[in-house]
Amino acid sequence: MRIEKATNLLPPVKRGKAVEIYVDGNPLIAYEGETIAAAMLAAGLRVFRHTPKTNSPRGIYCGMGVCFECLVTVDHVNAVRACMTQVYEGMHVETRAEWSL
Ligand code: FES
């Protein structure tokens, strides 16, 4: 869920142009300027990958590119940090790709 207005003291939130991205093949609407992580969280998606050894779910932790917990595959490129990568029209994000660091 995205906020529309932070408080009564601030103007409404301005968003970029709506774009369609695909997460594990499922379309979702995001906005230019948002990160993959923001778009996925707004859609209620919390699991971004699973660890190779124990298959433990991982998601957003630091939200600023430091922890590498949010790695996804974007258009066949592995290990992309979702919290640092902005969406674009037609982007394909995979959270279930089989790879390890
Ligand atoms: S959430 Fe820590 S690097 Fe993305």
Side-chain angles (χ1 to χ4, degrees):
M1 186 171 102
R2 292 179 174 87
I3 61 169
E4 299 299 327
K5 190 171 190 174
T7 72
N8 287 334
L9 300 174
L10 297 174
V13 174
K14 291 183 180 173
R15 300 193 194 290
K17 180 181 139 204
V19 295
E20 188 171 52
I21 68 170
Y22 302 87
V23 177
D24 296 328
N26 301 309
L28 79 90
I29 297 299
Y31 296 91
E32 286 182 348
E34 281 185 338
T35 63
I36 298 167
M40 288 177 64
L41 290 174
L45 303 172
R46 300 288 181 265
V47 177
F48 287 56
R49 69 180 180 99
H50 289 81
T51 58
K53 287 186 180 173
T54 63
N55 202 34
S56 301
R58 290 291 186 258
I60 297 299
Y61 185 65
C62 72
M64 58 183 191
V66 176
C67 72
F68 287 70
E69 292 291 341
C70 63
L71 298 179
V72 293
T73 298
V74 176
D75 292 335
H76 306 292
V77 177
N78 291 336
V80 174
R81 289 173 294 174
C83 70
M84 300 299 291
T85 306
Q86 291 189 6
V87 298
Y88 52 82
E89 180 69 40
M91 168 185 266
H92 286 263
V93 178
E94 293 289 330
T95 65
R96 299 180 298 235
E98 305 231 350
W99 53 268
S100 60
L101 295 174

